[in-house]
């Protein structure tokens, strides 16, 4: 692997970040009026100009702006003056869709081809309707109440909407409490590492009533969906109420709108879909290299190894401990020869003892406390102060340090750990605003700093494993990891709903930390004797997540760490993951094209089946595979619900079942209940040691019972040439009538062998 020279690391990012902040920070805010509460109750007048409908109310101002045929932006201001809002996480400019404004004595309507907004003149109530005039969402009350937070005059923001009894709610980020349908619970939208499984707040909600809702507010927010007939949103600080509504006849239509508003998900490198072995942590380059050699000696496929935070002396050094990591460039060269990529952990936290602390403190690049001093972590947290990546100069410094210290030694994949903004309490400030006002923003800006620097300075695709995220983070080459969950059965069980809601929140890539992390006393004989079963079941689930990563703080967390019997089972699913890479990588390209995730709660694909509304332990992995993990200790059998509509095939036995029923499924330790939908094509590749090796032989599994189609996608797997059209696509079509498959496109060479070698029809 050629070591890149430090000279590739430029500082152009200062200009792009500076321009972003200058354009987005509100300069003309209207001060809050003390002791005031602003609630619009009727429309006094309206005007239509500059592609926007503005309604003067008895109190405040409503502004409604079409963004796309199916997306609209609504703002409520406390006075009769509109102010500039940052729109954090919203990257789109309005597309100027065609629309008309209709006015009657009772209402004013903004009519687009896919979405209608109707405002009641007497009450200022808003109704959002689909093209057939069906009501999607109805407002009940908006309120801005003067408050003072961290010395700043601002408003607490409240919005409530009518919640029909049959409505179900999904998304809102990562919440590891086991809920899928969020109806009736208070959901905290702020980052919290100490919540018994990290909370990541993403203010995007999708419902079964064919709309998505984005709250444009990064402050501490609570939403209570569907309680006592209402859905309530409450944010601690804001200059206005700002939100977007997106309509879609299908879930994928909604995600197309979300993609337009918050940004395209770039295609990760192919290696990101192989196996990622991590641990807390590998303490030397010899230990990491020995793990790599063992994978190859045993013939197990794997692609990435993670050098965690143990590679430095002090958090914030961003350099290697030379005693244990004497030759990082040589390490990367050795790993490269073994077919591995090394991912390096880059914390944005700087302890006082770090060699970089005083430099950053002098630059004003550390998050500040209420006295204007660098804010060190609170309580027992010894991770240090956060670098303020909302400051363009500081963000540029962070990437420059990564580039000079890591890129120059051959590293090109990033684990952005410890980047949750827990310490950004109301008493702290960042360059872009107060901790109260932008509490949730931090990981978005940090991820952006790394992605944009990488994209500018390196040719290979950026891949980031991040421990935190915010609205729009999918633009920046990242996959959210579930982060240091407890090594317990209940924690594992709750991971499934957590991942499904992350995907529903618009993040296409997520991984569960397979095996969880040890808690105090977890190395006791009793716990360890029961742990291998948990590890196996977690590994089976992890093999069917968008990204596939093992982590943990045990001395041994690798495939071979728990005895021969466990190793054999785990290796089965490791190899199956690699055989399914043609299917998975093709699904990843679809995420880039459409914004829709391929880790899918059942409501997305079976909206007319009421039984799937709150099934927490089953999901679709792409359009073809239903996955039903075993999540209870000692269980060798579980019940599986097969959604109405299609016929289903047991993936392992080929046995057929009608949909719309619950069936008992045998699930000994080596069996993950897995079903294929009739009318599916699932490409399988030949076994490979890593994703650098081309899967030159592809076998098509066709599950008959209905017409089927699948677009099999391939590219170089490493560069951004795909954006220039340099890829191949084979369009696969199965006709149930003729019982034949048609292949068109520019990748037919994969099927030049006799058909009996690559076609397997399951009937």
């Amino acid at each position: 692997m050629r070591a890149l020279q430090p000279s590739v690391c430029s500082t152009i990012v200062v200009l792009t970040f500076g321009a972003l902040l200058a354009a987005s920070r509100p300069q003309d805010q209207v001060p809050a009026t003390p002791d005031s509460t602003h609630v619009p109750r009727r429309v006094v007048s309206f005007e239509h100009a500059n592609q926007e409908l503005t309604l003067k109310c008895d109190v405040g101002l409503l502004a409604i702006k079409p963004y796309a045929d199916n997306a609209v932006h609504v703002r409520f201001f406390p006075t009769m003056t509109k102010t500039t809002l940052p729109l954090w996480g919203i990257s789109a400019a309005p597309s100027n869709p065609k629309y008309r404004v209709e006015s009657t004595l009772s209402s004013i309507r903004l009519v687009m081809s896919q979405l209608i907004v109707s405002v009641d003149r007497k009450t200022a109530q808003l109704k959002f309707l689909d093209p057939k005039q069906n009501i999607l969402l109805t407002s009940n009350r908006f309120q801005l109440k003067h408050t003072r937070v961290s010395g700043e005059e601002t408003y607490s923001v409240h919005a409530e909407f009518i919640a029909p009894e049959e409505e179900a709610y999904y998304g809102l980020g990562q919440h590891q409490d086991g809920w899928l349908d969020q109806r009736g619970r208070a959901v905290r939208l702020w980052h919290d590492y100490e919540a018994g499984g990290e909370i990541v707040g993403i203010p995007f909600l999708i419902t079964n009533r064919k709309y998505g809702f984005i709250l444009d507010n990064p402050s501490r927010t609570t939403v209570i969906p569907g309680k006592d007939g209402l859905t309530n949103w409450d944010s601690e600080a804001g200059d206005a109420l700002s939100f977007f509504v997106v309509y879609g006849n299908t879930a994928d239509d909604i995600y197309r709108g979300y993609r337009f508003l918050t940004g395209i998900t770039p295609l990760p490198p192919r290696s990101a879909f192989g196996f990622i072995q991590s641990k807390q942590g590998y303490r030397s380059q010899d230990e990491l290299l020995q793990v790599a050699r063992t994978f190859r000696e045993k013939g197990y496929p794997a692609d990435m190894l993670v050098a965690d935070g143990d590679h430095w002396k002090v958090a914030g050094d961003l350099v290697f401990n030379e005693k244990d990591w004497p030759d990082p460039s040589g390490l990367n060269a050795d790993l490269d020869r073994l077919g591995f990529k090394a991912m390096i952990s880059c914390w944005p936290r700087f302890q006082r003892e770090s060699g970089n602390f005083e430099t950053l403190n002098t630059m004003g690049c550390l998050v500040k406390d209420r006295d204007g001093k660098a804010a060190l972590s609170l309580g027992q947290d010894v991770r240090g102060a956060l670098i303020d990546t909302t400051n363009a100069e500081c963000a540029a410094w962070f990437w420059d340090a990564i580039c000079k210290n890591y890129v120059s030694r051959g590293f090109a994949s990033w684990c952005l750990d410890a980047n949750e903004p827990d310490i950004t309490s109301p008493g702290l400030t960042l360059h872009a605003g107060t901790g109260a006002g932008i509490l949730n923003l931090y990981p978005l800006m940090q991820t952006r700093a790394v992605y944009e620097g990488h994209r500018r300075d390196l040719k290979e695709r950026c891949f980031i494993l991040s421990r935190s995220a915010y609205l729009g983070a999918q633009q920046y080459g990242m996959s959210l990891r579930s982060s240091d969950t407890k090594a317990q059965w209940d924690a594992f069980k709750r991971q499934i709903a957590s991942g499904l809601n992350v995907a529903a929140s618009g993040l296409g890539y997520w991984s569960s930390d397979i095996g969880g992390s040890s808690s105090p006393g977890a190395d006791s004989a009793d716990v360890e004797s029961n742990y291998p079963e948990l590890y196996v079941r977690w590994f089976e689930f992890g093999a069917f997540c968008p990204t596939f990563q093992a982590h943990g703080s045990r001395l041994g967390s690798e495939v071979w760490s728990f005895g021969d019997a466990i190793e054999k089972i785990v290796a089965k699913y490791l190899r199956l993951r690699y055989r399914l890479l043609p299917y998975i990588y093709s699904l990843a390209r679809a995420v880039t094209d459409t914004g829709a995730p391929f880790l899918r709660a059942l409501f997305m694909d079976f909206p007319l089946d009421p039984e799937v509304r709150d099934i927490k332990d089953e999901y679709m992995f792409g359009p073809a595979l239903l996955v039903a993990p075993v999540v209870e200790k000692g269980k060798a059998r579980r019940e599986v619900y097969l959604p109405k509509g299609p016929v289903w095939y047991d993936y392992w036995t080929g046995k057929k079942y009608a949909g719309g029923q619950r069936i008992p499924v045998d699930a000994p330790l080596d069996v993950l209940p897995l079903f294929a939908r009739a009318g599916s094509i699932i490409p399988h590749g030949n076994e490979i040691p890593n994703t650098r090796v081309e899967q030159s032989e592809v076998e098509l599994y066709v599950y008959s019972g209905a017409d089927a189609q699948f677009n099999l996608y391939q590219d170089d797997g490493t560069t951004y040439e795909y954006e220039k059209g340099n890829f191949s696509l084979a369009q696969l079509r199965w006709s149930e009538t003729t019982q034949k498959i048609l292949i068109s496109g520019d990748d037919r060479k994969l099927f030049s062998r006799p058909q009996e070698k690559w076609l397997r029809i399951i009937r």
Side-chain angles (χ1 to χ4, degrees):
M1 178 180 292
R2 182 177 62 87
L4 296 173
Q5 299 304 312
S7 60
V8 303
C9 307
S10 61
T11 56
I12 299 173
V13 73
V14 171
L15 298 178
T16 59
F17 261 77
L20 168 74
L21 287 170
S24 60
R25 291 185 69 191
Q27 303 297 323
D28 53 350
Q29 295 176 1
V30 177
T33 304
D35 304 318
S36 60
T37 300
H38 302 258
V39 178
R41 292 186 175 86
R42 67 185 180 93
V43 176
V44 176
S45 64
F46 77 95
E47 64 177 11
H48 171 221
N50 301 319
Q51 294 291 111
E52 186 170 53
L53 180 62
T54 304
L55 305 105
K56 292 184 178 181
C57 301
D58 54 344
V59 175
L61 194 73
L62 278 169
I64 304 173
K65 192 173 190 66
Y67 256 66
D69 289 338
N70 68 335
V72 65
H73 184 200
V74 176
R75 291 160 291 160
F76 169 57
F77 299 97
T79 70
M80 295 301 172
T81 303
K82 286 186 285 188
T83 61
T84 303
L85 300 177
L87 298 181
W88 296 114
I90 303 295
S91 59
S95 64
N96 297 325
K98 292 182 180 180
Y99 68 94
R100 66 181 184 274
V101 174
E102 300 173 346
S103 174
T104 69
L105 292 176
S106 60
S107 68
I108 303 112
R109 287 162 51 100
L110 189 151
V111 182
M112 298 181 288
S113 63
Q114 296 297 307
L115 183 61
I116 301 165
V117 185
S118 178
V119 186
D120 189 293
R121 287 177 176 268
K122 292 182 179 180
T123 64
Q125 183 184 60
L126 276 64
K127 290 184 179 180
F128 300 85
L129 304 95
D130 71 11
K132 296 181 179 180
Q133 310 287 324
N134 298 308
I135 295 174
L136 304 169
L137 178 66
T138 303
S139 71
N140 191 61
R141 187 171 185 265
F142 298 155
Q143 175 182 292
L144 298 171
K145 185 175 182 179
H146 172 261
T147 189
R148 187 178 180 88
V149 182
S150 299
E152 180 184 29
E153 301 291 337
T154 185
Y155 293 94
S156 62
V157 180
H158 174 77
E160 59 189 49
F161 298 87
I162 295 172
E165 288 186 8
E166 75 281 4
E167 192 164 25
Y169 308 87
Y170 311 94
L172 299 176
Q174 178 172 272
H175 300 274
Q176 302 191 41
D177 49 13
W179 289 65
L180 181 61
D181 177 6
Q182 308 279 16
R183 184 180 183 88
R185 65 177 293 251
V187 184
R188 292 185 289 161
L189 297 187
W190 64 86
H191 302 273
D192 187 354
Y193 179 72
E194 304 294 341
E198 183 166 1
I199 290 175
V200 176
I202 299 176
F204 174 55
L205 189 71
I206 183 171
T207 85
N208 60 346
R209 289 179 62 84
K210 300 187 176 182
Y211 74 88
F213 183 96
I214 298 172
L215 181 71
D216 168 38
N217 191 311
S219 75
R220 193 185 303 265
T221 297
T222 301
V223 56
I224 308 177
K227 185 175 176 62
D228 299 327
L230 294 173
T231 291
N232 288 281
W233 297 80
D234 286 282
S235 297
E236 189 174 52
D239 297 304
L241 168 64
S242 175
F243 64 88
F244 291 80
V245 175
V246 183
Y247 163 73
N249 189 50
T250 67
D252 285 7
D253 292 337
I254 296 172
Y255 288 110
R256 288 187 184 92
Y258 182 83
R259 172 185 182 270
F260 166 73
L261 290 171
T262 65
I264 296 170
T265 304
L267 185 60
R270 195 162 181 256
S271 57
F273 301 101
F275 183 57
I276 304 169
Q277 177 65 59
S278 177
K279 189 175 77 169
Q280 187 185 341
Y282 294 111
R283 300 185 184 278
S284 71
Q285 70 178 62
D286 288 342
E287 183 183 359
L288 194 69
L289 190 57
Q290 183 56 47
V291 170
R293 292 190 183 112
T294 305
F295 267 103
R296 296 302 176 237
E297 289 166 0
K298 288 179 172 287
Y300 297 151
D303 268 84
M304 287 191 185
L305 298 174
V306 181
D308 206 346
D310 288 322
H311 74 270
W312 56 61
K313 288 183 180 178
V314 177
D317 283 348
L318 293 177
V319 293
F320 287 90
N321 165 10
E322 292 181 358
K323 177 179 179 294
D324 298 316
W325 304 81
D327 185 13
S329 297
L331 169 65
N332 266 305
D334 289 339
L335 291 175
D336 185 58
R337 284 190 287 271
L338 290 167
F340 279 95
K341 291 177 68 70
M343 173 179 282
I344 194 76
S345 184
C346 305
W347 288 23
R349 298 179 184 262
F350 296 80
Q351 289 180 298
R352 189 178 294 278
E353 298 80 9
S354 163
N356 292 311
F357 182 89
E358 286 303 327
T359 297
L360 292 171
N361 197 27
T362 301
M363 292 173 64
C365 283
L366 298 174
V367 174
K368 297 174 177 59
D369 62 20
R370 64 179 68 250
D371 297 322
K373 298 179 180 179
L376 293 170
S377 301
L378 305 178
Q380 299 300 311
D381 190 345
V382 296
R383 292 176 291 178
L386 276 170
I387 184 171
D388 186 356
T389 46
T390 71
N391 182 318
E393 181 182 5
C394 308
W397 183 96
F398 187 59
W399 168 252
D400 191 52
I402 289 172
C403 196
K404 289 177 180 177
N405 296 327
Y406 296 132
V407 174
S408 64
R409 290 167 172 82
F411 292 90
S413 299
W414 319 110
C415 182
L416 299 189
D417 212 344
N419 64 339
E420 62 284 334
D422 301 14
I423 69 168
T424 313
S425 70
L428 305 180
T429 60
L430 294 87
H431 180 73
T434 65
I438 59 171
L439 177 73
N440 292 314
L441 186 65
Y442 186 85
L444 177 72
M445 303 306 286
Q446 192 229 0
T447 307
R448 177 182 175 131
V450 173
Y451 175 80
E452 290 192 339
H454 179 118
R455 185 72 195 255
R456 185 188 63 246
D457 293 334
L458 301 177
K459 291 184 178 180
E460 61 185 281
R461 296 178 207 165
C462 181
F463 179 59
I464 296 169
L465 272 182
S466 179
R467 201 163 84 177
S468 197
Y470 184 63
L471 189 76
Q474 79 280 351
Q475 302 173 75
Y476 302 128
M478 60 82 67
S479 175
L480 182 67
R481 49 174 287 248
S482 61
S483 177
D484 298 345
T485 52
K486 298 296 184 184
Q488 300 167 350
W489 281 97
D490 186 57
F492 164 48
K493 181 177 182 179
R494 290 183 271 115
Q495 284 281 284
I496 301 173
S498 175
L500 295 178
N501 272 323
V502 168
S505 303
L507 290 181
Y509 300 115
W510 176 86
S511 63
S512 177
D513 281 3
I514 292 170
S517 292
S518 296
S519 51
D523 289 324
S524 67
D526 178 61
V527 172
E528 287 303 300
S529 66
N530 294 312
Y531 180 75
E533 180 189 357
L534 174 63
Y535 178 82
V536 167
R537 292 304 194 187
W538 211 319
F539 199 97
E540 291 170 351
F541 166 58
F544 288 87
C545 290
T547 47
F548 182 27
Q549 178 210 8
H551 190 62
S553 56
R554 283 171 167 74
L555 292 177
S557 62
E558 294 79 22
V559 174
W560 52 84
S561 300
F562 307 103
D564 292 344
I566 298 299
E567 181 177 339
K568 182 178 179 181
I569 297 171
V570 171
K572 168 184 172 180
Y573 287 91
L574 192 55
R575 292 190 173 107
L576 177 59
R577 170 75 177 205
Y578 277 76
R579 287 212 66 206
L580 287 171
L581 279 176
Y583 175 71
I584 295 168
Y585 196 57
S586 299
L587 297 180
R589 177 57 199 253
V591 173
T592 297
D593 290 341
T594 70
F598 61 89
L599 181 70
R600 301 169 69 86
L602 297 180
F603 81 91
M604 293 185 185
D605 295 298
F606 306 97
L608 300 181
D609 188 344
E611 293 295 316
V612 308
R613 171 174 152 170
D614 199 29
I615 292 181
K616 303 176 180 69
D617 60 353
E618 300 178 28
Y619 60 94
M620 294 299 294
F621 190 66
L625 289 171
L626 185 149
V627 186
V630 176
V631 295
E632 295 182 43
K633 177 184 174 182
K635 295 290 186 181
R637 190 176 175 86
R638 66 153 290 174
E639 184 180 82
V640 175
Y641 179 74
L642 301 175
K644 292 178 182 177
V647 169
W648 297 90
Y649 292 85
D650 186 309
Y651 178 84
W652 305 109
T653 67
K655 184 177 179 179
K656 284 198 296 187
Y657 298 89
Q661 63 170 324
R662 299 181 185 276
I663 62 170
V665 178
D666 289 331
L669 189 57
D670 66 335
V671 174
L672 167 71
L674 195 60
F675 292 83
R677 175 162 47 178
S680 296
I681 301 171
I682 306 178
H684 292 61
N686 54 291
E687 290 191 10
I688 53 175
N690 58 73
T691 58
R692 298 184 196 182
V693 179
E694 182 182 0
Q695 286 178 299
S696 57
E697 299 179 6
V698 173
E699 183 180 8
L700 302 181
Y701 285 45
V702 176
Y703 292 88
S704 65
D707 291 344
Q709 61 181 29
F710 189 82
N711 291 332
L712 179 61
Y713 174 82
Q714 284 192 329
D715 60 26
D716 65 23
T718 58
T719 74
Y720 289 97
E721 285 295 309
Y722 75 90
E723 295 178 342
K724 302 175 183 177
N726 294 323
F727 58 83
S728 61
L729 194 69
Q731 298 170 323
L732 315 175
R733 303 290 183 269
W734 166 259
S735 169
E736 186 65 16
T737 301
T738 64
Q739 293 284 289
K740 292 183 178 179
I741 193 162
L742 175 66
I743 300 173
S744 59
D746 51 7
D747 206 11
R748 298 185 62 183
K749 64 181 181 295
L750 287 172
F751 309 103
S752 59
R753 297 172 294 150
Q755 191 176 90
E756 62 268 19
K757 296 287 187 180
W758 55 262
L759 183 62
R760 179 178 174 184
I761 303 172
I762 297 92
R763 296 184 174 91

